Amino acid sequence: MKPIDLLAAASSIEALWSPRVAARINDTFVKLARIRGEFVWHAHEAEDEMFLVLSGRLCIKFRDGDAWLEPGQALAIPRGVEHCPYAPEEVCILLVEPATTVNTGDAQGDGRTQDGPVWL
Amino acid sequence: MKPIDLLAAASSIEALWSPRVAARINDTFVKLARIRGEFVWHAHEAEDEMFLVLSGRLCIKFRDGDAWLEPGQALAIPRGVEHCPYAPEEVCILLVEPATTVNTGDAQGDGRTQDGPVWL
């Protein structure tokens, strides 16, 4: 078993907004992603989700205000809460979410929905 | 919702080897811990577990060799695999594991087993 350098692995993902599974912990995926720009507003009906910032500054917009995350900070978003990730500059993140989670949640159909999990 | 500074939160945990739940993601806990010294050899029969190092250098001993993790590195340990975390100097870690996970796994009874989850 070989440790993963999380930032190096996330940085090397070619496509933006395309989370890659780094580890499966029972029914939960730990994913890495490289993002820039604004995503889509969505919620996950049955899944909580944690964002952990590896590099850059991430804004997570909520209907009642924004949360800004610096490297080394994390935020768990309870199921059902509408959110929209926004990265003015490139950001590398780690996600912890159930394996059933669809990246665009209830906002599918805009072409940004990922077809099933993709491993690193 | 307020972001957690993971290293600051882990550093502030008074007791060593006493993971604190920082977030619940469905049936999975994200925990923080401050550790130093050697733990006990154990395995988790039904639970995978991920270690992510926030500060310091962590050794995870396996029966067939050691893995060393630097800050920003992570390692997922599949269920059933015997391991023994060892931190020559203080290390702060983040853990991702099923909510059912007992810290000492199958090696209960040495006084280091935690009674149920404790939140940050």
Side-chain angles (χ1 to χ4, degrees):
Chain A
M1 280 177 290
K2 203 176 169 313
I4 298 176
D5 188 302
L6 298 169
L7 179 54
S11 301
S12 71
I13 300 171
E14 197 167 335
L16 295 169
W17 301 107
S18 301
R20 298 287 183 261
V21 180
R24 179 168 194 146
I25 305 298
N26 290 58
D27 296 328
T28 297
F29 279 149
V30 176
K31 295 178 178 173
L32 298 173
R34 196 169 65 84
I35 63 179
R36 190 174 59 239
E38 185 163 312
F39 202 53
V40 289
W41 279 97
H42 67 284
H44 306 282
E45 190 185 336
E47 292 105 350
D48 313 317
E49 181 176 41
M50 193 183 86
F51 286 76
L52 189 168
V53 172
L54 300 171
S55 70
R57 287 188 80 219
L58 174 66
C59 177
I60 303 180
K61 300 181 178 185
F62 297 100
R63 292 299 185 190
D64 60 355
D66 298 346
W68 282 92
L69 282 76
E70 307 280 342
Q73 294 188 329
L75 184 64
I77 302 174
R79 65 194 76 182
V81 174
E82 280 188 294
H83 59 284
C84 179
Y86 167 58
E89 310 281 341
E90 181 171 307
V91 173
C92 288
I93 55 173
L94 178 149
L95 297 162
V96 179
E97 58 189 26
T100 52
T101 307
V102 174
N103 61 333
T104 52
D106 58 1
Q108 297 176 43
D110 77 334
R112 304 184 85 160
T113 301
Q114 198 174 36
D115 289 332
V118 184
W119 283 75
L120 259 185
Chain B
M1 279 177 289
K2 203 177 169 314
I4 297 175
D5 188 303
L6 298 169
L7 180 53
S11 300
S12 71
I13 299 171
E14 197 167 334
L16 295 169
W17 300 107
S18 301
R20 297 286 182 262
V21 180
R24 179 169 194 143
I25 304 298
N26 291 55
D27 297 327
T28 297
F29 279 148
V30 176
K31 294 177 178 174
L32 298 172
R34 196 168 66 82
I35 63 179
R36 190 174 60 241
E38 185 163 312
F39 202 51
V40 289
W41 278 97
H42 67 283
H44 305 283
E45 189 185 337
E47 292 106 350
D48 311 318
E49 182 178 40
M50 193 185 84
F51 287 75
L52 189 169
V53 172
L54 301 171
S55 70
R57 288 188 79 218
L58 173 66
C59 177
I60 303 180
K61 299 181 179 185
F62 296 100
R63 292 301 185 191
D64 60 355
D66 299 345
W68 282 92
L69 282 76
E70 307 282 341
Q73 294 188 330
L75 184 64
I77 302 174
R79 65 195 75 183
V81 174
E82 281 189 294
H83 59 283
C84 178
Y86 166 58
E89 311 281 341
E90 181 172 307
V91 173
C92 287
I93 55 173
L94 178 148
L95 297 162
V96 180
E97 57 189 27
T100 51
T101 307
V102 173
N103 62 332
T104 51
D106 58 1
Q108 297 176 43
D110 78 334
R112 305 184 86 160
T113 301
Q114 198 175 35
D115 289 332
V118 184
W119 284 75
L120 259 185

